[in-house]
Amino acid sequence: MPSKTEVGTQEPVVRLKDVSKEFPGVLAVDGVDLDILPGEVHVVAGENGAGKSTLMKLLSQVERPSRGTVEISGDPVEYHGPGHAQHLGVAMVYQEFALAPDLSVAENLYLGREPGRFGFVNRGKEMEEAGSLLRRVGLNVRPGSLVAGLTVAEMQRVEIAKALAIDAKVVIMDEPTATLAEKEIEDLFGVINALTDDGIAILYISHRLDEIFRIADRVTVMRDGKIVDTLPVSELDEDKLVRLMVGREISNLYPKPEVEIGDVLLRVKGVSRGEKLRDCTFEVRTGEVLGFAGLVGAGRTELARAVFGADRVDGGSVELEGRTLKIKKPQDAIEAGIGYLTEDRKGEGLALQLGVDQNITLANLPMTRGLISLKEEGEIARRRRDQLNIRTPSIRRRVQVLSGGNQQKVVVARWLETEARVLFFDEPARGIDVGAKAEMFGLIGDLAKEGRGVVVISSYLPELLNMCDRILVMREGEVAGVIGREEFSEERVIALATGTEEAA
Amino acid sequence: MTEGTANGTARGNALRERLSDFVSQLAAAGALIVVFAFLSFASPDFLTADNLFNIGSQTAVVAVIAVGMTLVIITAGIDLSVGSVAALAGVMGALLMSSYGLPMPLAALGGTLVGAACGLTNGLLVSVAGLNPFIATLGMLSVARGIVYIATDAQSVFGLPDSFRLLGQGVVAGGIPIPVVIILVVAIAGYVVLSRTKLGRYAYAMGSNLEAARLSGIPIRRYLTSVYVISGALAGFGGMIAASRVASGQPNYGIGLELDVIAAAVIGGASLFGGQGTVVGTLIGAFLIALIRNGAVLLNVNTFYQQVIIGVIIWIAVFWDQYRRRKLASASE
Ligand SMILES: Nc1ncnc2c1ncn2[C@@H]1O[C@H](COP(=O)(O)OP(=O)(O)OP(=O)(O)O)[C@@H](O)[C@H]1O
Ligand SMILES: [Mg+2]
């Protein structure tokens, strides 16, 4: 893609000079100098815990820099909190949680800045302006509809419209595609292009290399809080980018060991749940990695949750090693030897106020004589930290302050501790860096090698095509078909997922 | 920060984490020390063995019940019924002795069980019927008080054996009041439960993220119910101590007691949003309140001012705590 901005000829909208941020025990951002130009898409890449999100928070004044200056449109700015940053034209696109669900879209867009006088809101004006903002971000909902009824992608669009409403010069997006489907990602890129055409700069964090090369004008790579380099995307290729990020070569992103596939381990028959799941049947063998593919909403997560007992089912049976299980709640599944790694780690995975160690042992506490063995707990946590390379200054640190990718690893560590025979990984690679992805897939391979069965749910097809022995494709709550490795192709999966090919 | 160096400093960091847990209680502890020092100077009657033991005995009821309350608050719940339940237990225990002639230990056990039964009801309403803890226990506040009045016709229960005084007024080992010993025992038990048992760990986990706890295979209903049973039992036991102190079962006892109990927990760093709270903090909170009450009496301060002072201390303690937390862990990502 040709660069839209003439690097070097424009005044930067944002200039960071020698900015640092220290947290207890961590120098999260270390002496960073960075210019952001109007109208560019500037990607910030780097490993988990490199300091990307923290850097964005310094700019949006969610955090106060420990050192250094931030200039916006050429003027140094004082720290006065997020409201001040917005006032100066820096907007952050959060995900759904920054919107008030019980207010309408229009009310959310103008929250705190309602048009009107004397404390009265001029509703007509609000609706009209909201309508035009929504058109600009290509969102097809009525300004009067409640935010609670929107999809995640739509809420994100409302967030972007909110940035336009404050006349933002810089819009920050921290892993915006993590919860979007492929089609929604395309639409988002369209909106981003429209914004940059208007001269708005986009700061974009992502771990997905394909995305970076599609939309970036320039890429800044961070490692250990420092900037390694800032380059126009034209001077980069995947290998070079990975090397800059992790400081070494990653020969194989999808290490898949040769594993002898054995007997049927898990057999799921006729699982149904209302409209969401209809008569789903599948099996997982020892040593096998089974993929769940399908469009967002096809019921992949629902199927995993149903087997795991997280949701009630209308009917169906689950057999593990030939025994029929009675699973009414997750506890039953875990005791039988089934684990499920949730896709939404913050909402459903982590006890944020507890420590890394306590989160790791949550599903399987080490007990001696009726009491928790703190010594053993510490050993377990340290072992998993080293194995999964979880970056934390201490195993007792609350998981709340870990970077997103490291939080993900903590949840994985918890499930490894349960010694489950069958593990469901729901979007395991979401939010983790390339190095960690390779490690995660290596781990999945190892689990299979140990004779466990692994189910991987992913929206990113290359992951499934490379890692799995078979892929089960879902469509509208039904199993549309199962493809064996020798017949793998992106086209076949998509055809089954969209219903343009009937199951053989 | 590389993992290589991380290992070397891991011990130091773990120590620092622990220290920061401790510092969180420092605000309340500091306040306790300041008030203590001030009263030592301001009143000659304060720093006497008699007075100190007296404070200890007076604190017992609030402290014992507050340990249970801490557990409930950690799960992001609340137990508003403790005052009524304490009264019900005290009255029932007294009736067991006066009308049925049960010996003191059995009656004390009976009162505690009455409290546990109330707690069980609370727990089932919360965990099975899915009522909000505030509502469930607000109902129990009214129901338990009603039963007290029905059972006693709003009359005090007298005619209790002398041995009953032991619980709230007795001493052991050369003058240490039994209530003080009770505080110690309950506190140590509470500490062990919170830091070393499944119940304690799961309480923190449920309060921090209920869904994550459920998906980790924790039997939510059972543990949530247990927490309210414990709170009810301790409220019942506290009610027996209170009855012993006045040697009678008082139907009007404990109106508003829940406020002191919740205040003790909150001053001690328990968060009403769940996931946070310690026994040590709660004890500090309970003693701080007791000291202020005691000091006000010794210094002849109008008792109405006590209320004002305690309210202000709640504000300061919670504000300081939140401020510190925000600094330590401004929501990441
Ligand atoms: N509020 C905080 N308190 C203490 N440490 C923090 C806090 N916020 C972040 N950190 C630490 O700062 C470092 C950088 O974190 P940051 O979230 O910026 O990483 P990131 O590059 O966004 O990683 P990811 O790709 O995993 O999201 C991490 O080691 C993290 O644990
Ligand atoms: Mg991040």
Side-chain angles (χ1 to χ4, degrees):
Chain A
M1 189 181 353
S3 168
K4 283 167 300 210
T5 41
E6 299 296 317
V7 178
T9 59
Q10 284 161 303
E11 268 298 299
V13 270
V14 170
R15 170 167 277 168
L16 302 174
K17 283 188 190 158
D18 194 26
V19 173
S20 297
K21 175 72 192 180
E22 194 176 354
F23 292 114
V26 198
L27 192 53
V29 172
D30 184 1
V32 162
D33 292 294
L34 186 64
D35 288 348
I36 307 297
L37 304 172
E40 76 167 333
V41 177
H42 197 119
V43 167
V44 181
E47 291 180 283
N48 296 127
K52 305 178 296 293
S53 297
T54 305
L55 186 65
M56 299 303 123
K57 286 182 199 160
L58 295 179
L59 186 53
S60 60
Q61 301 207 347
V62 173
E63 298 278 4
R64 181 198 292 269
S66 316
R67 189 156 56 80
T69 47
V70 178
E71 285 177 11
I72 296 177
S73 310
D75 302 316
V77 295
E78 294 279 313
Y79 174 88
H80 288 299
H84 185 62
Q86 283 180 15
H87 176 74
L88 295 172
V90 178
M92 182 116 175
V93 173
Y94 295 97
Q95 302 211 308
E96 67 271 31
F97 38 80
L99 298 171
D102 297 324
L103 297 186
S104 72
V105 171
E107 284 163 340
N108 265 287
L109 286 178
Y110 288 97
L111 203 59
R113 294 168 297 104
E114 288 77 4
R117 279 192 293 177
F118 313 119
F120 290 99
V121 179
N122 184 341
R123 285 187 152 268
K125 187 149 179 274
E126 192 176 80
M127 286 295 175
E128 196 184 304
E129 290 182 4
S132 83
L133 284 177
L134 292 178
R135 272 191 298 283
R136 265 182 83 193
V137 297
L139 183 57
N140 220 345
V141 300
R142 281 179 305 105
S145 37
L146 289 189
V147 162
L150 303 185
T151 66
V152 175
E154 287 168 339
M155 289 190 206
Q156 186 180 61
R157 221 54 81 69
V158 175
E159 287 275 0
I160 297 174
K162 222 169 140 180
L164 296 180
I166 62 166
D167 263 329
K169 301 191 191 92
V170 186
V171 178
I172 302 171
M173 303 185 184
D174 195 347
E175 300 189 39
T177 54
T179 47
L180 300 187
E182 293 299 318
K183 167 81 174 63
E184 295 165 338
I185 295 177
E186 289 304 313
D187 294 348
L188 175 68
F189 289 171
V191 173
I192 288 179
N193 278 332
L195 298 188
T196 50
D197 286 346
D198 291 344
I200 297 174
I202 307 285
L203 260 167
Y204 190 99
I205 300 181
S206 177
H207 287 292
R208 288 181 55 171
L209 301 181
D210 55 324
E211 263 175 43
I212 297 178
F213 284 98
R214 278 208 46 200
I215 60 155
D217 293 312
R218 291 197 297 158
V219 179
T220 288
V221 178
M222 291 185 76
R223 201 194 308 154
D224 292 335
K226 296 191 195 60
I227 289 189
V228 181
D229 208 348
T230 299
L231 293 167
V233 75
S234 53
E235 293 174 24
L236 278 172
D237 55 40
E238 286 213 2
D239 288 342
K240 185 168 179 195
L241 181 56
V242 169
R243 212 172 330 116
L244 286 175
M245 283 198 281
V246 299
R248 63 190 150 90
E249 301 277 347
I250 291 184
S251 50
N252 187 0
L253 187 50
Y254 304 106
K256 181 166 173 57
E258 280 300 318
V259 178
E260 186 84 18
I261 292 176
D263 297 337
V264 174
L265 187 59
L266 178 79
R267 177 171 275 140
V268 175
K269 265 193 245 158
V271 167
S272 300
R273 175 168 162 255
E275 288 291 291
K276 297 260 184 175
L277 292 176
R278 273 170 299 187
D279 197 21
C280 295
T281 298
F282 68 92
E283 57 191 36
V284 187
R285 293 169 172 272
T286 58
E288 182 182 44
V289 181
L290 174 69
F292 278 11
L295 304 177
V296 167
R300 297 165 303 170
T301 294
E302 280 77 8
L303 183 51
R305 287 178 60 98
V307 173
F308 184 64
D311 300 323
R312 274 179 200 283
V313 291
D314 305 333
S317 68
V318 178
E319 263 175 45
L320 189 71
E321 293 176 316
R323 273 183 308 126
T324 303
L325 306 178
K326 270 203 198 114
I327 297 177
K328 290 222 177 75
K329 48 187 183 313
Q331 188 194 353
D332 304 334
I334 292 168
E335 277 165 11
I338 301 174
Y340 169 60
L341 191 114
T342 55
E343 93 191 290
D344 169 9
R345 56 178 172 263
K346 274 218 166 147
E348 304 176 336
L350 292 168
L352 288 175
Q353 280 133 325
L354 299 195
V356 171
D357 49 356
Q358 297 171 331
N359 268 285
I360 290 177
T361 57
L362 194 57
N364 192 10
L365 283 170
M367 307 294 287
T368 39
R369 276 176 266 117
L371 295 181
I372 299 170
S373 165
L374 299 181
K375 187 160 155 276
E376 203 179 325
E377 177 165 66
E379 283 163 9
I380 292 171
R382 265 186 285 273
R383 182 155 39 81
R384 293 299 180 192
R385 177 197 62 192
D386 295 344
Q387 181 198 5
L388 299 178
N389 198 8
I390 300 171
R391 294 212 171 185
T392 174
S394 138
I395 51 161
R396 288 180 53 91
R397 180 65 50 112
R398 292 157 157 242
V399 292
Q400 186 173 27
V401 302
L402 258 53
S403 80
N406 285 302
Q407 291 180 334
Q408 175 80 328
K409 293 180 187 175
V410 170
V411 186
V412 174
R414 176 189 309 157
W415 288 110
L416 295 183
E417 274 307 311
T418 63
E419 308 284 333
R421 301 285 296 134
V422 181
L423 270 168
F424 288 80
F425 283 82
D426 202 345
E427 302 285 358
R430 176 174 290 170
I432 63 177
D433 64 51
V434 264
K437 255 178 222 173
E439 283 166 22
M440 178 79 66
F441 291 131
L443 189 86
I444 287 175
D446 290 346
L447 291 173
K449 219 166 158 180
E450 289 169 18
R452 311 198 207 200
V454 182
V455 177
V456 177
I457 304 177
S458 173
S459 297
Y460 189 53
L461 266 185
E463 280 171 18
L464 295 181
L465 295 171
N466 282 294
M467 284 308 301
C468 297
D469 299 298
R470 288 184 304 142
I471 294 178
L472 178 155
V473 185
M474 294 196 68
R475 183 178 67 240
E476 293 170 7
E478 289 180 48
V479 177
V482 181
I483 312 171
R485 190 168 176 86
E486 57 289 347
E487 302 167 54
F488 275 3
S489 79
E490 201 151 319
E491 293 72 34
R492 278 215 62 189
V493 175
I494 291 172
L496 280 173
T498 52
T500 45
E501 179 196 324
E502 280 311 313
Chain B
M1 181 204 63
T2 61
E3 280 303 307
T5 58
N7 250 339
T9 57
R11 230 167 269 277
N13 278 321
L15 196 72
R16 199 171 336 160
E17 297 291 290
R18 247 171 240 157
L19 220 65
S20 96
D21 285 357
F22 182 72
V23 168
S24 71
Q25 279 151 25
L26 224 62
L32 187 71
I33 292 167
V34 169
V35 173
F36 193 92
F38 170 75
L39 289 177
S40 306
F41 281 112
S43 164
D45 300 326
F46 177 73
L47 209 55
T48 60
D50 265 1
N51 188 51
L52 292 184
F53 281 148
N54 187 21
I55 294 174
S57 306
Q58 279 170 354
T59 315
V61 178
V62 167
V64 163
I65 303 179
V67 169
M69 184 68 80
T70 306
L71 194 55
V72 173
I73 290 179
I74 286 170
T75 67
I78 191 91
D79 187 350
L80 297 177
S81 68
V82 289
S84 299
V85 170
L88 180 62
V91 163
M92 290 300 176
L95 283 175
L96 284 179
M97 286 180 279
S98 68
S99 306
Y100 298 93
L102 248 59
M104 187 280 266
L106 280 184
L109 182 67
T112 308
L113 288 179
V114 167
C118 295
L120 180 65
T121 313
N122 282 333
L124 292 175
L125 287 173
V126 170
S127 69
V128 179
L131 290 192
N132 175 302
F134 190 97
I135 304 297
T137 59
L138 183 66
M140 180 56 73
L141 177 145
S142 185
V143 168
R145 184 67 66 184
I147 296 176
V148 173
Y149 290 142
I150 295 168
T152 60
D153 224 359
Q155 302 298 311
S156 305
V157 181
F158 290 109
L160 306 182
D162 273 350
S163 65
F164 182 52
R165 290 172 190 268
L166 216 59
L167 203 57
Q169 303 175 38
V171 292
V172 286
I176 301 174
I178 288 181
V180 174
V181 177
I182 292 176
I183 296 181
L184 275 178
V185 171
V186 170
I188 291 171
Y191 178 81
V192 172
V193 165
L194 277 183
S195 60
R196 297 294 298 277
T197 66
K198 285 192 175 177
L199 176 67
R201 178 63 60 81
Y202 292 168
Y204 285 109
M206 291 188 295
S208 183
N209 188 339
L210 192 65
E211 186 63 7
R214 188 175 79 95
L215 293 180
S216 296
I218 296 172
I220 301 286
R221 285 183 181 176
R222 191 193 326 153
Y223 281 99
L224 215 48
T225 309
S226 308
V227 160
Y228 286 91
V229 171
I230 290 173
S231 174
L234 286 177
F237 188 54
M240 292 307 294
I241 301 173
S244 166
R245 286 173 59 76
V246 293
S248 60
Q250 296 290 343
N252 282 322
Y253 176 74
I255 293 173
L257 178 66
E258 63 278 358
L259 297 181
D260 270 12
V261 172
I262 294 168
V266 166
I267 290 173
S271 159
L272 293 179
F273 296 110
Q276 275 155 21
T278 61
V279 169
V280 177
T282 297
L283 280 194
I284 291 173
F287 275 105
L288 189 57
I289 294 174
L291 277 197
I292 290 165
R293 292 261 150 85
N294 179 262
V297 173
L298 290 183
L299 299 178
N300 274 324
V301 178
N302 182 328
T303 52
F304 299 147
Y305 283 104
Q306 294 173 21
Q307 295 298 108
V308 175
I309 295 171
I310 289 169
V312 171
I313 287 184
I314 293 177
W315 285 339
I316 295 173
V318 174
F319 175 80
W320 196 85
D321 196 50
Q322 286 180 354
Y323 171 77
R324 187 193 60 85
R325 280 185 213 289
R326 220 174 295 138
K327 271 194 75 164
L328 193 83
S330 49
S332 83
E333 205 179 18

